[in-house]
Amino acid sequence: MNIVASPLAEFPPPVASVWSTRTAHRRTLAVGVIGPGRVGSALLDQLRAAQPRLERDMGLVLNLCGVVASRRMWLDCDDPELNARQHRAQTWRPNDLDEFAAHIRGNEGRHALLVDCSASEEVTARYPDWLAAGIHVVTPNKLGGSGPLERWHAIRAASVDSGARFRCEATVCAGLPVVQTLRDLLDTGDELIDIEGMFSGTLAWLCNRYDGCRPFSALLREARALGYTEPDPRADLSGIDVARKLVILAREAGLPLSLADVEVASLVPSALAELPLEDCMQQLHELDAPMSAKLAEAQVGSGVLRHVGRLDRDGRASVRLVVLPATHAFAHARLTDNVVQFRTRRYRDNPLLVQGPGAGPEVTAAGVFADLLRIAESLEVRP
Ligand SMILES: NC(=O)c1ccc[n+]([C@@H]2O[C@H](COP(=O)([O-])OP(=O)(O)OC[C@H]3O[C@@H](n4cnc5c(N)ncnc54)[C@H](OP(=O)(O)O)[C@@H]3O)[C@@H](O)[C@H]2O)c1
């Protein structure tokens, strides 16, 4: 074990509250956070700030019992006084996901929940076992919802059998209520016609700004400098991330889609596809002619270019750049906003829209936190 600096040291201990003494409805949830990176750290901050209010107003105690990163982990049993300390010291031991999950679960039948804020296959592969063991799982990691269909079925089956919940709202448009909106529509008996959306904030920003005055490659460089793109902007231009979101929504809607079923029109020219990142950044001008042709096509009909993911009730899914009329709802999205439009039997002529910032650690962590609270609200009181 070693001692290193960590913001965890300021996590407050559960406080004895009015709720704890006056009511029998006090519930405690043991929480383990996997991946204290950008989203995970923001979540730890939000949990820390909300704890006294949740305990006071809801009788809910969120007991942070462990944090695990790619190589090391902290368990509260190693350092029982940690929460009371303020000097930022932290005791860590080597990463062991199985030991971590067993510790969060405990032996006394307590309510336990793991939050996976990594992007790790190794972590995702364990969801079925964790759920089968009765541990709730919440995540912004898209690999569970959009990975192999077999694993998705195993996740669902384990959840149904054990009663442990799996929630992944933040995988689609971060903190925006997209997955929950779809669930609410379907669970209340509505019928899906289609979902269309601008699911990539990066491509929304690029399409909003691209008017032909500057080459597309110059805008892409600017977006990268502003931190709007992935370090390798081909990850955004390929459309795969949007395809993953469609797969997640499709499966939520009961359609057994896989990534290979989504028709994706990548914006990465073949000349750039295989280049090392540095060479690709030198050759970005390869994008300019094809993008200029697409813009000209849009301008002929006074339309706009938008990057749109579409899923219909028959499971047809596509991701591509399309020309839309200037009056379309997607033509007025701002900056890096995501917009998702649900057409259903009830919302056929006037579709239901969800719009707002769809990325960033704070809003993503808030989406994860909201999932955690939905599960916490449904917990029965246990001693
Ligand atoms: N950032 C956003 O705006 C956003 C929006 C929507 C969804 N998401 C999703 O949220 C997740 C987290 O994103 P992020 O931006 O916070 O990533 P990040 O900053 O790279 O953090 C990832 C964390 O996961 C940890 N990790 C990696 N492999 C692990 C393993 N095998 N076991 C335990 N921990 C492991 C890393 O540990 P080390 O610290 O040791 O490297 C790191 O703490 C991703 O799935 C991402 O797709 C992010």
Side-chain angles (χ1 to χ4, degrees):
M1 284 183 202
N2 57 341
I3 308 285
V4 294
S6 163
L8 274 174
E10 289 177 10
F11 201 85
V15 290
S17 71
V18 174
W19 256 94
S20 59
T21 52
R22 282 198 192 153
T23 175
H25 300 299
R26 187 169 183 265
R27 290 145 306 156
T28 301
L29 179 60
V31 177
V33 173
I34 302 167
R38 282 164 295 190
V39 174
S41 298
L43 177 68
L44 286 167
D45 286 344
Q46 292 176 11
L47 290 172
R48 182 187 298 128
Q51 174 66 76
R53 180 177 48 77
L54 293 174
E55 193 169 353
R56 187 189 65 228
D57 298 347
M58 292 172 57
L60 174 65
V61 177
L62 299 178
N63 200 1
L64 183 72
C65 296
V67 176
V68 58
S70 64
R71 283 192 291 278
R72 56 188 189 158
M73 67 182 184
W74 164 75
L75 303 181
D76 62 346
C77 59
D78 286 340
D79 199 351
E81 291 172 27
L82 172 78
N83 288 339
R85 287 207 241 125
Q86 297 294 321
H87 56 58
R88 289 183 170 263
Q90 180 70 66
T91 308
W92 295 89
R93 55 166 89 188
N95 161 317
D96 182 329
L97 288 169
D98 298 328
E99 187 185 352
F100 184 78
H103 176 72
I104 303 302
R105 179 168 173 253
N107 295 318
E108 332 76 39
R110 66 185 182 186
H111 296 296
L113 182 147
L114 289 171
V115 187
D116 172 19
C117 293
S118 76
S120 159
E121 269 291 347
E122 191 195 351
V123 177
T124 311
R126 287 173 162 80
Y127 293 173
D129 288 346
W130 291 342
L131 289 159
I135 306 172
H136 306 286
V137 176
V138 167
T139 187
N141 175 359
K142 288 183 257 311
L143 295 178
S146 67
L149 200 51
E150 205 175 297
R151 182 168 67 200
W152 170 245
H153 287 313
I155 289 171
R156 294 310 284 250
S159 172
V160 169
D161 289 349
S162 72
R165 311 263 301 275
F166 175 76
R167 293 190 65 100
C168 62
E169 177 64 74
T171 55
V172 183
C173 306
L176 298 181
V178 176
V179 178
Q180 185 62 42
T181 299
L182 177 60
R183 278 258 56 88
D184 286 346
L185 290 168
L186 299 177
D187 290 346
T188 58
D190 206 347
E191 288 158 31
L192 184 68
I193 297 173
D194 57 33
I195 303 172
E196 277 188 318
M198 292 166 53
F199 293 95
S200 160
T202 312
L203 285 156
W205 187 87
L206 287 165
C207 288
N208 285 339
R209 296 287 301 272
Y210 184 45
D211 59 5
C213 294
R214 292 169 66 198
F216 189 80
S217 56
L219 277 176
L220 186 60
R221 284 200 173 86
E222 186 183 338
R224 190 168 183 254
L226 289 167
Y228 292 163
T229 70
E230 293 293 327
D232 184 339
R234 287 173 295 190
D236 299 292
L237 297 173
S238 72
I240 292 299
D241 194 57
V242 173
R244 285 193 180 281
K245 294 172 185 173
L246 291 181
V247 169
I248 291 168
L249 291 176
R251 290 177 182 177
E252 283 294 331
L255 299 162
L257 234 65
S258 292
L259 215 44
D261 300 322
V262 185
E263 209 180 290
V264 184
S266 169
L267 298 180
V268 182
S270 51
L272 298 185
E274 303 299 331
L275 293 180
L277 177 57
E278 256 179 44
D279 296 346
C280 170
M281 292 310 296
Q282 299 294 326
Q283 305 286 322
L284 279 188
H285 56 262
E286 293 281 349
L287 281 159
D288 292 336
M291 289 305 294
S292 168
K294 288 186 165 96
L295 182 65
E297 186 193 327
Q299 288 173 337
V300 166
S302 305
V304 295
L305 275 184
R306 291 294 180 260
H307 190 259
V308 173
R310 183 170 194 280
L311 167 73
D312 73 16
R313 60 182 156 200
D314 298 319
R316 280 186 293 257
S318 62
V319 179
R320 57 168 61 96
L321 209 55
V322 298
V323 177
L324 296 174
T327 50
H328 193 283
F330 295 176
H332 309 294
R334 295 180 58 244
L335 302 170
T336 57
D337 270 5
N338 286 181
V339 191
V340 182
Q341 171 182 284
F342 296 92
R343 271 199 326 134
T344 64
R345 181 172 50 76
R346 292 181 194 137
Y347 294 93
R348 179 190 292 268
D349 300 327
N350 195 9
L352 189 161
L353 282 183
V354 178
Q355 177 170 355
E362 286 245 355
V363 290
T364 306
V368 172
F369 197 177
D371 269 352
L372 182 156
L373 288 177
R374 283 212 171 83
I375 292 174
E377 276 165 10
S378 67
L379 299 178
E380 86 263 22
V381 177
R382 285 188 189 167

